[in-house]
Amino acid sequence: MLIASYLALAAILFVIGLIGVLTKRNAVIVLFSLELMLNAANINLVTFSKMGLVPNLNGQVFALFNVVVAAAEAAVGLAILFAIYRNRETIDAEKFNLLKG
């Protein structure tokens, strides 16, 4: 396959994730959209590590670190959402005004 097809797939996934982050009010959908954007970055990292000018494992190692960070982000994000849901009984992102006085 051509490198352009992988990059096009990653760009499409990133744009879908970006639209989800910017337009959705549900906090769970926003977290899923962030994960989609991180996966698009992983596709780019692996593509350039396998098909770049100098093929090596650096991109795949960075993608592995990115997966670990994404898993930690999902765990912490969901824990925060559960805590907010217990207090406010909503997951609407526009109603998260816990820091306002």
Side-chain angles (χ1 to χ4, degrees):
M1 290 185 74
L2 296 175
I3 191 170
S5 60
Y6 290 113
L7 297 180
L9 173 66
I12 290 168
L13 287 177
F14 190 84
V15 168
I16 291 171
L18 184 65
I19 290 170
V21 167
L22 294 177
T23 61
K24 299 299 179 185
R25 292 178 15 183
N26 189 340
V28 176
I29 301 296
V30 171
L31 283 177
F32 286 153
S33 298
L34 283 173
E35 294 292 328
L36 199 60
M37 291 168 67
L38 288 173
N39 284 329
N42 286 339
I43 290 173
N44 281 335
L45 288 170
V46 172
T47 299
F48 284 122
S49 77
K50 293 297 281 184
M51 298 182 177
L53 295 175
V54 182
N56 53 21
L57 292 176
N58 290 342
Q60 294 175 16
V61 171
F62 283 131
L64 183 64
F65 284 135
N66 197 2
V67 167
V68 171
V69 168
E73 175 259 333
V76 171
L78 286 175
I80 291 171
L81 284 178
F82 286 148
I84 290 173
Y85 181 75
R86 285 185 189 152
N87 290 334
R88 301 289 174 149
E89 295 182 357
T90 184
I91 55 172
D92 188 3
E94 292 182 359
K95 295 182 181 176
F96 292 166
N97 57 0
L98 298 174
L99 295 178
K100 291 183 180 177

